[in-house]
Amino acid sequence: MSSNRVVVIGGGPAGLEATALAARLGSEVTLVEKRPELGGTPIAENYAALTHGFQSAEDLVGRLIADATGSPAVEVRTGAEVTAVSGAGGDFAVSVSSGGDEDQVAAGAIVLATGFQHFDPGRETQQYGYYEFPDVIALQDAEAMLKAESFVTPSTGRPPERVAFIQCVGSRDRQIGNEYCSKVCCGISSKQAIEVRQQVPDARVFIFYIDMRMYGYWENEIYWPAQEQHRVNYVKGIVTEILAKNGRLLIRGEDTTMGRPMEVPMDVVVLAVGMEPSQGTRTMADLLGLATNKYGFVETVHDTLDTVTTNVPGVFVCGSVTGPCDLDDAISSAGAAGAKAVAFLRAGAGVPA
Amino acid sequence: MSSNRVVVIGGGPAGLEATALAARLGSEVTLVEKRPELGGTPIAENYAALTHGFQSAEDLVGRLIADATGSPAVEVRTGAEVTAVSGAGGDFAVSVSSGGDEDQVAAGAIVLATGFQHFDPGRETQQYGYYEFPDVIALQDAEAMLKAESFVTPSTGRPPERVAFIQCVGSRDRQIGNEYCSKVCCGISSKQAIEVRQQVPDARVFIFYIDMRMYGYWENEIYWPAQEQHRVNYVKGIVTEILAKNGRLLIRGEDTTMGRPMEVPMDVVVLAVGMEPSQGTRTMADLLGLATNKYGFVETVHDTLDTVTTNVPGVFVCGSVTGPCDLDDAISSAGAAGAKAVAFLRAGAGVPA
């Protein structure tokens, strides 16, 4: 008994894109989102402008929401969680719990788009004082202030004179256990640095980095303008400690290009936190029996170039479920995952390839 | 008069993936490839192992070829070129020329997957002597030697003692006009450096770089092992000149971490050349009326997060047609493009979304 329905789990950008495309390809879709509203991390965490030409996250993600929810073939369940999955590819029974009620959705295929969570910079990075100093914040905190067009020193409410970004917090770090690079933090920090300079023109902005991973067009669209037009100061260096001194922050470390120790006062320090699998990704991977890597991200099938197919027939993944990814990665892999779910249903229904 | 056929132009990894998925979703597909065989640049340029777990390019691309050509819905035309396109989305007439014969293929949608070409390192980079010194080679030359398991100093045929990779040749370079980062050269150089160390264990290998852009899992899967297990030497530095001296190469530049000039003898210098749009991409973009950026890569629609939809209704793009991309990017965007082409046909045929 095969079903023409795809259940998409996760209503962020990837889940929305997979939903919209699967519906356009002729499938019924049930989109299950734990939060009360769609949009995923960019909406829940108040992202301001995206690295895509500094366009509004609300506008661009809003378009994805409109596309996904505009189809009569799509049933949206917000504030709902998948609690169990039985059956197999072609004939899954997906238990969805919402407000105390639970029912079962019959589905032929599942797309998992449960995404990432920001690395908690208080965990194992005590030298940065994230929970100790109000003026040590993380990328998502800076993003929310930038969205409100009110980038201030949190402890004083006044515009900062000196702002530092520290890269690779919770990434490229063996001690923390996250050896991978989180891919987007360099781009997002640089974007935010430009926005800080625009909102607080008198502020000096520094980015302390190991390598600036401004791949592809981020190089010419963000990195060069940050330096040339917005005078963001990039310092190849390692920050080992943040202290409070005379009502300000003091960052200590080494400027590796100059080959000398540094000790610099700052008003605001932004920790460029990396990506880890979200709790939803961990829970669903476990529940679905998906192979994961040592970091908890889901692995796709080996010995192929496929980016969305898992070890469980009928279950496809996209976005940051498989590891750190940018929005282009998320949207591309979501399209591929939604389409492969539909192709899987067609094959199961005996439609010739 | 709408057609259920998709014409895919370009038979590399992206075109193959788009073809296979569009066929599985129920469309007829004509795959047009200029070269006599399928597989694109990885096959034509003799790629050895891919950055995907050092798996064989021939094996992995071979699987894509088998998937694409295994469907009765797919017609493959190798040694063939698209010479003209008339009509509009839903009803294109695509002129295909092959061996002097030309015919027209009716298609509802087109997927462009004509890819990139390696930057020609002789062009405007005279200081590197690519056409002057036989032992100055490019990534694809090194790749072919590694595939033959015969990595030697070209001028002597003997195993090299010292090998240098120079990053960002034809990328991140305003004078050359390629301001963008080519995204994959750091990863491929590091992979090759490991392979050189494996094939020529006595060789010392150096990588001269600005930033090592080992994003995502390349960090832990390639960059760390290169340093820790394979003892590749990474030098943050700029090479300004390559000379011949005493039958060897001499590279001159600046070690920016040490802050001092350097002058080092080498047996082989590998130029990590970047990506530019292929001639096929330029020609087809022009012929189809696609919007391009200043580098000649095709632009996707603005004001959305979409990665594959162009300004011409019914024409979709994937892989490196839009800019530098890695194989994950290519396969994901190809899946999305193939699927969006099929969705476009369905919508045109009056199938409700």
Side-chain angles (χ1 to χ4, degrees):
Chain A
M1 179 58 213
S2 70
S3 161
N4 184 37
R5 183 171 294 277
V6 177
V7 167
V8 176
I9 308 173
L16 292 165
E17 176 75 0
T19 295
L21 190 51
R24 288 178 62 206
L25 290 168
S27 286
E28 306 286 316
V29 184
T30 299
L31 172 59
V32 182
E33 166 57 48
K34 192 163 64 174
R35 294 190 175 103
E37 57 176 350
L38 297 175
T41 303
I43 298 305
E45 298 263 16
N46 289 301
Y47 286 12
L50 299 178
T51 47
H52 284 64
F54 291 76
Q55 292 178 83
S56 150
E58 240 175 283
D59 286 356
L60 294 190
V61 178
R63 277 178 170 243
L64 293 179
I65 294 173
D67 280 352
T69 59
S71 164
V74 174
E75 176 204 22
V76 178
R77 302 217 188 167
T78 49
E81 286 190 66
V82 171
T83 55
V85 177
S86 61
D91 189 22
F92 289 115
V94 181
S95 300
V96 179
S97 169
S98 174
D101 294 331
E102 181 158 309
D103 66 338
Q104 288 204 331
V105 179
I110 294 170
V111 173
L112 187 61
T114 39
F116 74 99
Q117 64 188 27
H118 296 103
F119 175 76
D120 176 348
R123 201 186 90 212
E124 303 180 65
T125 57
Q126 287 88 347
Q127 78 269 33
Y128 292 146
Y130 180 71
Y131 290 126
E132 191 178 348
F133 307 125
D135 299 336
V136 176
I137 64 178
L139 281 182
Q140 64 271 31
D141 307 320
E143 194 71 24
M145 287 204 287
L146 290 166
K147 187 173 184 193
E149 295 192 33
S150 166
F151 193 90
V152 296
T153 305
S155 67
T156 65
R158 286 202 299 270
E161 289 171 23
R162 295 167 66 86
V163 178
F165 290 80
I166 299 178
Q167 299 309 113
C168 301
V169 176
S171 302
R172 307 180 67 180
D173 190 328
R174 182 173 281 156
Q175 283 195 297
I176 281 168
N178 294 349
E179 288 91 351
Y180 55 84
C181 156
S182 287
K183 202 168 178 179
V184 302
C185 338
C186 285
I188 292 167
S189 295
S190 295
K191 178 206 74 115
Q192 290 189 353
I194 290 173
E195 293 172 305
V196 171
R197 288 279 301 143
Q198 287 171 328
Q199 291 188 17
V200 192
D202 291 336
R204 296 191 65 191
V205 179
F206 302 83
I207 295 185
F208 295 93
Y209 72 97
I210 311 177
D211 298 277
M212 281 310 293
R213 296 204 161 153
M214 305 298 285
Y215 52 79
Y217 295 130
W218 282 0
E219 176 79 12
N220 53 299
E221 290 179 358
I222 302 178
Y223 190 36
W224 290 30
Q227 296 171 78
E228 296 178 344
Q229 290 158 41
H230 303 284
R231 305 204 182 173
V232 174
N233 302 288
Y234 287 85
V235 182
K236 186 167 165 75
I238 295 160
V239 174
T240 53
E241 202 178 7
I242 301 177
L243 307 165
K245 192 172 173 183
N246 304 330
R248 262 183 143 178
L249 298 169
L250 189 71
I251 65 176
R252 276 194 185 146
E254 194 197 333
D255 180 327
T256 55
T257 300
M258 297 301 170
R260 62 186 181 204
M262 63 178 176
E263 202 175 273
V264 200
M266 290 290 159
D267 298 303
V268 177
V269 174
V270 184
L271 305 178
V273 293
M275 290 191 189
E276 293 185 326
S278 70
Q279 188 55 53
T281 292
R282 292 182 191 274
T283 302
M284 292 309 308
D286 196 39
L287 195 148
L288 290 163
L290 302 179
T292 55
N293 62 25
K294 63 179 280 204
Y295 311 113
F297 289 110
V298 174
E299 288 188 337
T300 49
V301 283
H302 296 292
D303 303 325
T304 77
L305 292 168
D306 189 287
T307 55
V308 301
T309 302
T310 72
N311 60 310
V312 177
V315 178
F316 302 88
V317 285
C318 54
S320 49
V321 168
T322 58
C325 83
D326 63 33
L327 269 166
D328 284 341
D329 301 338
I331 296 300
S332 288
S333 65
K340 287 193 178 179
V342 175
F344 180 84
L345 297 182
R346 287 177 55 87
V351 180
Chain B
M1 178 59 214
S2 70
S3 162
N4 183 38
R5 183 170 294 277
V6 177
V7 167
V8 176
I9 308 173
L16 291 164
E17 177 76 1
T19 295
L21 190 50
R24 289 177 63 205
L25 290 168
S27 286
E28 306 285 316
V29 184
T30 298
L31 171 59
V32 182
E33 166 56 48
K34 191 162 63 172
R35 293 190 175 105
E37 56 177 351
L38 296 175
T41 303
I43 299 304
E45 298 263 17
N46 289 301
Y47 285 12
L50 300 178
T51 46
H52 283 65
F54 290 76
Q55 292 178 83
S56 149
E58 239 175 283
D59 287 356
L60 294 190
V61 178
R63 278 178 170 243
L64 294 179
I65 294 172
D67 280 353
T69 59
S71 164
V74 174
E75 176 205 21
V76 178
R77 301 215 187 168
T78 49
E81 287 191 64
V82 170
T83 54
V85 177
S86 60
D91 189 21
F92 288 116
V94 181
S95 301
V96 179
S97 168
S98 175
D101 293 332
E102 182 159 308
D103 66 338
Q104 287 203 336
V105 179
I110 294 171
V111 174
L112 187 60
T114 38
F116 73 99
Q117 64 188 27
H118 297 101
F119 175 75
D120 176 348
R123 201 186 89 213
E124 303 181 66
T125 58
Q126 288 89 347
Q127 78 269 32
Y128 292 145
Y130 181 71
Y131 290 126
E132 192 178 348
F133 307 127
D135 299 335
V136 176
I137 63 179
L139 282 181
Q140 64 271 32
D141 306 320
E143 194 71 23
M145 286 204 288
L146 290 165
K147 187 171 184 196
E149 295 192 35
S150 168
F151 193 89
V152 296
T153 306
S155 66
T156 64
R158 287 202 299 269
E161 289 171 25
R162 296 167 65 86
V163 178
F165 290 80
I166 299 177
Q167 299 308 112
C168 301
V169 176
S171 302
R172 305 180 69 180
D173 190 326
R174 182 171 282 156
Q175 282 195 296
I176 281 168
N178 293 350
E179 288 92 351
Y180 55 84
C181 156
S182 287
K183 201 168 177 179
V184 302
C185 338
C186 285
I188 292 168
S189 295
S190 294
K191 179 206 74 111
Q192 291 189 353
I194 290 173
E195 293 172 305
V196 170
R197 288 280 299 145
Q198 289 172 327
Q199 292 189 16
V200 191
D202 291 336
R204 297 191 65 192
V205 179
F206 303 82
I207 295 184
F208 295 93
Y209 71 97
I210 311 177
D211 298 277
M212 280 310 293
R213 296 203 160 154
M214 304 298 285
Y215 51 80
Y217 294 130
W218 281 0
E219 177 78 11
N220 53 300
E221 290 180 358
I222 302 178
Y223 189 36
W224 291 28
Q227 295 171 79
E228 296 178 346
Q229 290 158 41
H230 303 283
R231 306 204 179 173
V232 174
N233 303 287
Y234 287 85
V235 182
K236 186 167 163 76
I238 295 160
V239 174
T240 52
E241 201 177 8
I242 300 178
L243 308 165
K245 192 172 174 184
N246 305 329
R248 264 182 139 178
L249 297 169
L250 189 72
I251 66 176
R252 276 194 184 145
E254 193 197 334
D255 181 327
T256 54
T257 301
M258 298 300 170
R260 63 186 180 202
M262 65 180 174
E263 200 174 275
V264 201
M266 290 290 161
D267 298 304
V268 177
V269 174
V270 184
L271 305 179
V273 292
M275 290 190 189
E276 294 186 325
S278 70
Q279 188 54 53
T281 293
R282 291 182 192 274
T283 302
M284 292 309 307
D286 195 40
L287 195 148
L288 290 162
L290 302 178
T292 55
N293 62 25
K294 63 179 280 206
Y295 311 114
F297 289 111
V298 174
E299 289 188 336
T300 49
V301 283
H302 297 291
D303 303 324
T304 77
L305 292 168
D306 189 288
T307 55
V308 301
T309 302
T310 72
N311 60 309
V312 177
V315 178
F316 303 88
V317 285
C318 54
S320 50
V321 168
T322 58
C325 82
D326 62 33
L327 269 165
D328 285 342
D329 302 338
I331 297 300
S332 288
S333 66
K340 287 193 177 177
V342 175
F344 179 85
L345 296 183
R346 286 177 55 86
V351 180

